[in-house]
Every structure is written in C-alpha cells, then in structure tokens.
C-alpha cells in the first residue's frame, strides 16, 4: 500500500528491505567495479587528466580497454573510479544537465556548477552511488580541479588521484609535481603516475588515457601510451585452403523468382 | 578406566582425552597458569613502514623514529633498525614490544654462536631463516609476533635482502617495503632501482630513500619526519643519526575552501 504522505528528511525504507533480504539469505548484487587509477594535475596553461583502461569484475578483467575519462562539456571532463555503471550514468546525467543549464543561462558552463550538481546528487544517495570522480576543466574563471567522493565530499587541489591505484599514483605526484609546469612535463608526470598505478596495482592495467584541457582547446589522447601490448602469436592458426577434401560443389540461388511492385509514392516517408 | 599407570595422579582432562593418548607435550593444560595465558590479538604500540633497497655497494634500509599508540604519536625517539653482528640489519614495523623481544632473542643467539668458539658467524641469510622459522611457528600456535621485518646484509661479497612477517610469509627482491610503504614507496623504489642495482652509488641510493621517506611523511598519517638510514656494505654496518625531512607545503597557498568558495 503506497504511503501517500512523504515525511521530510531521508527515507530509509529501502535500507530496511535490503537488510531483511540479506538476513533471509539473498545478498546484495555485486556491481562491476573499475578498480582503477585516475589522476588530475594542474599546470601552467590548464589541466591534465589521466586514467588507466582496465575494468574489473572481482578478480576478472571485464574490459581491457574501457574509457574512464567522461565528457561533461566541451572544456570540462570527468574521470570516474568505483562502480562503472554509477560513474557512467552519473557523468552522463550531469553532462546533459550542464548542456541545458548552459542554454538556459546563455553562458559557458563552469566547473563548479558540474561539481555542485555531482556532489548534491551523490550526497542525496548517501554513498549508495559508488562514484569517485576527478573533475577538471577550464572556464571563464580559470582552470579548476576537484575530487568528489561517493558520499558527496569534495576537495579542491592542484593535483589529485583516486581509485585503488591512487597511492601509487600519488607517490609519483608528490615526488614530481611543481607549480606552473609546462605542458610536456605535466603530461609526462601524468603518464608516469598512471603507469605506477598500472604496474603496481592489480585493479589497474592495460593502457594510459590522457586529456589536456586549456583555455583554447581540449585534447583527448586516447591510449596515449600502450605499455601492455599483446605480443604477436608465434604460430598462425589459419587452415590452408584445401585442408578439407571435398567431392562435389552445388550452388543454389535462394531467390528463384523476383517481381518488384511499387506501391504508392514509393519509399519516402509519408509527411502528408 | 585409564590403564596406563604413568597417567595416574597426573593432571587429566576427561572431556578431551580420557585415556591419555596424546603425548604429554600436546595435552591441553587446564591448570591455573594456562587460564591466564594470553595470545596476541592486536598490536598496541606500533611502528610504521620500513624501506630497503639494493645498491652497488650493499643494502640501504630506512625507518622513521616513531612508535605510535593508536593515533597518538607516543614515542618519537625509537630506533626501529637493529644491527645483528657486523653484517646484518633488521628493520621492524608493527608491534614494538614484540620487536624488542626479537632483538633480545637475536642478541642472545649471536652470543651463543660466539661462545661456541667455531669462528663462524651468522650472516643475513641465516638470521632471516631463523626469524622466518620463529615467526611461522608462532603463527601456527595462534600467538604471532605482530611484526613485518626486513632483513638486509652483506656477507662474502653477496648482498642479501628479504622480508618476513607475522604470518611467516617470506620473499626477496631488490626493493622491499613494509606497511604503507608497500603501497606508496614501492612504486617509486621499483621505478628507480629495478635494473640499476649494480650501478647506483651510495649518494643516489640515499636520494631515492630520502624521496620515498618524504612521500611517506606526506601521505602516511602514522609517520614522522625524523628517520634513520642503515647502510650495510663489505665495510660493515652503519646506522646513521636521526635526520630531519625537508618538506614543502607551498602547494596549498592558493587553495580556498573545498569547492565553490573563492575567498
């Protein structure tokens, strides 16, 4: 029976249902997690974002080359760690809302707007939406870099890392980050940080993606580094033509007779 | 009825072993003393990471001077690196009281070896083997020495570096780290050292270690900026005086708030 009266504050009735079901023996479904190393770094002209490309399902690699740098707007991008579905849908939703917001205000969208939308949504779900994000972009107020945790807290920093490989990546950042770096240095630092995650964390792997956002352009460098390419197989496993002997060949046309009758004005869409 | 005269009059447990079939050493003792015996459940006063690398001349190991009491930085002048003889150093993270016990055992072992008079000394490989046997035996009795130890040394022209912990796990590599160091410092150490073990000089090795200790001080909430470095070469063991770490916090100058705040 639906409860028509909605009392103010949070509604934890789903929590009651989940606990009841777990006690009865039906555990909560396991979601695909991205494992992951994601990083963001502020440099002289803007932001560099970086991510690995491995998606895991427990101990299994589900996707060897997924894209973790999501589009928010032309000059704002968001890396996502945690539950893959949550990061995908959350960033897509906020991207859509940012477009509408930009049309409504008539202004170029700002990074803090996306950050506020994301944190308010994640807080509303009390951490049940498992999205840990690195949001970065350049707008009319300058370059900005934020981290957003699943419960909705945000941090504003010049260099950030998230995901299971964040400790390895942060170690590289703490050793090498300086204020006002050049583009090449920043990109190399990000590549080194993601590589540290790829090679030292089991939840991260495969290739390095990067995205360089400046005032004038956004450059998406998909698979900028591929340190785990599969070695060419030693043997060729194709069968030589003629391996299987055949005695007789018989080709039959499936279309025996064809008659085309044009009905009405033809194939065009009827817009009368 | 117990047929064995040697069991009459001795402490017995009819519930567990009515006919005295277990050898005396394996019988569960239900005396007043055993009621008070406790097994280690959790570490109390703890040390954090220890790092070690192989370089051209030998082994370099480092550990900070902190022994924490949970989240309290209780003892800020503790030496977590211990020299065993002239050619081995052990570094310990984890429970400090168990480490002090290990130090006592090893010192007594070295004395016994000396007094046996055969002019053979125990090298790092032997110390490591001895420790791993002790650690695994204790874990099998469900009463571990709650430590993760690095054993480093130089004997007969060979460098030795290995790890042993409270479970009895052992492994050896050219870079090792315990605790948070394995997550934070190990990626840096591996990048800097792997492939260059026979080329790195002492100054270069020191820089690598110092950089890793600095990153650990930034990112490990149970660390200190005061640390010591031990160097083991063919010339012997040197444990340095406590050094201070240089840190830079200027990255935070421009930061205001955590989100939309601009002032």
């Amino acid at each position: 029976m639906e409860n028509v009266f909605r009392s103010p504050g949070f509604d934890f009735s789903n929590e009651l249902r989940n606990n009841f079901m777990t006690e009865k023996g039906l555990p909560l479904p396991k979601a695909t997690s991205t494992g992951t190393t994601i990083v963001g770094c502020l440099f002289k002209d803007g932001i560099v974002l970086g991510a690995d490309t491995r998606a895991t399902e427990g101990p299994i690699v589900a996707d060897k080359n997924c894209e973790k740098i999501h589009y928010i707007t032309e000059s704002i991008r968001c890396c996502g760690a945690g539950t893959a579905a949550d990061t995908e849908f959350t960033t897509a939703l906020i991207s859509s809302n940012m477009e509408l917001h930009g049309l409504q205000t008539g202004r170029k969208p700002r990074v803090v707007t996306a950050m506020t939308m994301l944190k308010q949504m994640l807080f509303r779900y009390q951490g049940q939406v498992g999205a840990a994000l690195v949001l970065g972009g350049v707008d009319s107020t300058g370059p900005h870099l934020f981290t957003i945790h699943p419960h909705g807290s945000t941090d504003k920093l010049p260099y950030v890392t998230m995901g299971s490989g964040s400790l390895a990546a942060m170690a590289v950042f703490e050793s090498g980050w300086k204020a006002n770096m050049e583009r090449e240095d920043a990109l190399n630092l990000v590549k080194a940080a993601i590589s540290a995650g790829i090679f030292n964390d089991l939840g991260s792997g495969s290739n390095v993606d990067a995205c360089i956002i400046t005032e004038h352009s956004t450059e998406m460098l998909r698979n900028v580094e591929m340190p785990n390419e599969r070695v060419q197989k030693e043997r060729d496993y194709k069968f030589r033509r003629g391996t299987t002997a055949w005695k007789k060949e018989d080709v039959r046309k499936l279309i025996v007779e064809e008659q085309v009758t044009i009905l009405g004005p033809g194939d065009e869409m009827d817009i009368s | 009825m117990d047929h064995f005269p040697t069991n009459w009059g001795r402490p017995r447990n009819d519930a567990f072993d009515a006919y005295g079939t277990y050898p005396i050493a394996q019988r569960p003792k239900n005396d007043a003393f055993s009621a008070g015996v406790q097994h280690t459940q959790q570490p109390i006063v703890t040390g954090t990471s220890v790092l070690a690398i192989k370089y051209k001349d030998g082994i370099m190991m480092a550990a900070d001077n902190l022994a924490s009491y949970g989240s309290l930085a209780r003892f800020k002048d503790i030496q977590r690196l211990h020299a065993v003889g002239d050619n081995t150093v052990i570094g310990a993270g984890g429970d400090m009281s168990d480490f002090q016990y290990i130090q006592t055992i090893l010192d007594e072992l070295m004395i016994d070896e000396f007094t046996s008079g055969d002019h053979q000394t125990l090298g790092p490989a032997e110390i490591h083997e001895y420790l791993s046997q002790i650690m695994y035996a204790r874990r099998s009795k469900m009463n571990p020495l709650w430590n993760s130890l690095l054993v480093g040394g130089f004997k007969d022209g060979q460098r030795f570096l290995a790890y042993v912990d409270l479970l009895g796990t052992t492994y050896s590599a050219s870079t090792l780290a315990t605790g948070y160091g394995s997550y934070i410092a190990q990626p840096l150490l591996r990048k800097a050292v792997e492939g260059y073990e026979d080329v790195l000089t002492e100054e270069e090795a020191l820089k690598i270690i110092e950089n890793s200790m600095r990153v650990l001080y930034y990112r490990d909430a149970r660390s200190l900026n005061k640390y010591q470095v031990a160097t083991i070469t063919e010339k012997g063991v040197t444990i340095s005086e406590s050094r201070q770490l240089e840190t830079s916090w200027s990255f935070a100058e421009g930061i205001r708030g955590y989100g939309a705040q601009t002032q």
Side-chain angles (χ1 to χ4, degrees):
Chain A
M1 155 100 158
E2 266 245 12
N3 194 355
V4 177
F5 173 66
R6 293 277 180 90
S7 50
F10 296 116
D11 176 17
F12 289 101
S13 54
N14 279 345
E15 283 281 309
L16 288 171
R17 176 203 68 181
N18 290 345
N19 288 338
F20 174 78
M21 289 175 81
T22 315
E23 273 171 47
K24 290 294 177 196
L26 188 73
L28 281 170
K30 219 161 41 121
T32 312
S33 156
T34 53
T36 303
T37 310
I38 50 173
V39 305
C41 167
L42 182 69
F43 73 108
K44 199 176 78 177
D45 306 322
I47 307 275
V48 183
L49 298 174
D52 75 307
T53 63
R54 174 183 281 188
T56 53
E57 237 171 64
I60 298 171
V61 178
D63 190 344
K64 290 187 281 188
N65 202 191
C66 70
E67 256 203 69
K68 300 187 189 178
I69 306 184
H70 307 286
Y71 173 92
I72 303 284
T73 70
E74 221 11 79
S75 48
I76 304 174
R77 296 286 191 278
C78 187
C79 306
T83 308
D86 288 341
T87 59
E88 280 284 345
F89 277 99
T90 305
T91 47
L93 177 66
I94 266 66
S95 169
S96 169
N97 286 347
M98 286 287 281
E99 172 84 11
L100 293 169
H101 187 267
L103 288 165
Q104 185 176 39
T105 57
R107 292 178 169 84
K108 264 187 76 181
R110 297 188 185 182
V111 188
V112 285
T113 314
M115 182 214 70
T116 308
M117 289 182 189
L118 285 164
K119 73 156 29 171
Q120 285 177 349
M121 181 199 148
L122 290 175
F123 182 73
R124 200 167 72 239
Y125 284 94
Q126 287 292 291
Q128 300 295 327
V129 173
L133 309 165
V134 168
L135 176 72
V138 181
D139 57 33
S140 52
T141 54
H144 299 282
L145 184 61
F146 298 100
T147 54
I148 308 162
H149 291 79
H151 282 261
S153 62
T154 55
D155 295 301
K156 186 165 162 50
L157 291 160
Y159 54 97
V160 293
T161 65
M162 297 286 267
S164 54
S166 63
L167 278 77
M170 184 51 86
V172 173
F173 270 172
E174 290 285 22
S175 304
W177 188 87
K178 299 186 303 282
N180 290 324
M181 277 191 292
E182 293 298 328
R183 182 204 151 100
E184 278 314 301
D185 297 331
L187 184 59
N188 287 334
L189 185 66
V190 163
K191 283 199 255 180
I194 298 291
S195 301
I198 287 173
F199 292 111
N200 292 291
D201 173 46
L202 296 174
S204 313
S206 299
N207 316 121
V208 182
D209 285 351
C211 184
I212 308 181
I213 310 175
T214 60
E215 194 187 338
H216 307 293
S217 67
T218 306
E219 220 180 305
M220 183 64 196
L221 302 167
R222 172 81 170 136
N223 288 356
V224 66
E225 225 169 61
M226 299 181 77
N228 289 305
E229 287 213 74
R230 186 183 188 161
V231 68
Q232 196 189 40
K233 286 191 188 163
E234 288 172 34
R235 289 192 54 188
D236 185 19
Y237 293 90
K238 288 205 188 74
F239 286 103
R240 166 190 65 80
R241 258 183 196 278
T243 305
T244 307
W246 50 275
K247 289 161 71 175
K248 195 167 66 160
E249 187 180 340
D250 184 7
V251 178
R252 273 193 282 176
K253 282 193 167 20
L254 288 171
I255 302 173
V256 175
E257 198 194 304
E258 198 176 337
Q259 233 182 16
V260 179
T261 315
I262 299 177
L263 304 163
D267 283 326
E268 297 106 45
M269 188 164 76
D270 185 2
I271 49 169
S272 51
Chain B
M1 176 183 169
D2 193 346
H3 301 274
F4 297 109
T6 46
N7 287 338
W8 302 339
R10 280 206 170 128
R12 60 198 283 159
N13 186 347
D14 284 330
F16 179 77
D17 179 25
Y19 300 103
T21 53
Y22 279 80
I24 296 170
Q26 284 170 28
R27 276 179 211 161
K29 291 181 282 238
N30 283 341
D31 50 15
F33 178 77
S34 60
V37 169
Q38 291 187 321
H39 291 200
T40 308
Q41 307 298 336
Q42 48 163 325
I44 305 293
V45 177
T46 54
T48 183
S49 338
V50 184
L51 313 176
I53 57 172
K54 275 188 191 170
Y55 71 104
K56 193 177 70 168
D57 306 323
I59 307 289
M60 197 173 280
M61 194 184 291
D64 66 21
N65 288 343
L66 180 64
S68 315
Y69 187 61
S71 62
L72 173 65
R74 184 90 180 261
F75 305 107
K76 293 163 71 165
D77 206 14
I78 300 289
Q79 188 176 304
R80 297 195 288 122
L81 302 169
H82 179 69
V84 183
D86 299 318
N87 46 27
T88 318
V89 168
I90 55 169
D95 191 84
M96 287 292 103
S97 65
D98 284 344
F99 178 51
Q100 288 173 352
Y101 173 66
I102 290 173
Q103 289 178 327
T104 313
I105 293 186
L106 289 174
D107 289 340
E108 286 174 3
L109 178 74
M110 296 307 278
I111 291 171
D112 286 345
E113 271 300 302
F114 177 77
T115 55
S116 74
D118 59 0
H119 305 289
Q120 303 288 343
T121 51
L122 292 172
E126 291 78 45
I127 299 291
H128 177 253
E129 181 64 26
Y130 183 68
L131 277 174
S132 74
Q133 295 280 39
I134 292 179
M135 299 298 268
Y136 185 72
R138 288 289 297 251
R139 112 146 190 164
S140 301
K141 290 192 284 185
M142 292 298 288
N143 185 16
L145 290 163
W146 208 291
N147 291 110
S148 19
L149 307 160
L150 293 187
V151 180
F154 193 102
K155 191 168 182 222
D156 300 332
Q158 297 284 351
R159 296 165 298 191
F160 180 90
L161 185 56
Y163 167 99
V164 58
D165 71 5
L166 70 164
L167 300 173
T169 311
T170 56
Y171 49 84
S172 184
S174 50
T175 64
L176 289 176
T178 67
Y180 267 103
S182 49
Y183 297 96
I184 297 175
Q186 190 68 295
L188 300 171
L189 297 176
R190 281 177 178 161
K191 190 83 198 294
V193 174
E194 254 162 32
Y196 306 112
E197 296 91 341
D198 301 321
V199 172
L200 287 171
T201 63
E202 189 170 322
E203 292 80 46
E204 288 168 341
L206 195 58
K207 270 191 68 190
I208 294 166
I209 291 273
E210 197 187 304
N211 179 236
S212 296
M213 290 303 283
R214 183 177 11 262
V215 178
L216 276 172
Y217 178 59
Y218 283 144
R219 293 288 163 175
D220 179 1
R222 304 283 184 267
S223 61
L224 194 63
N225 54 353
K226 200 163 136 225
Y227 70 106
Q228 285 173 290
V229 182
T231 323
I232 315 102
T233 60
E234 58 179 0
K235 298 193 190 70
V237 172
T238 332
I239 300 182
S240 73
E241 290 299 306
S242 295
R243 308 155 187 258
Q244 194 81 353
L245 272 170
E246 263 192 41
T247 52
S248 165
W249 302 88
S250 59
F251 77 94
E253 266 164 17
I255 299 177
R256 297 286 177 276
Y258 52 86
Q261 182 182 323
T262 43
Q263 298 309 318

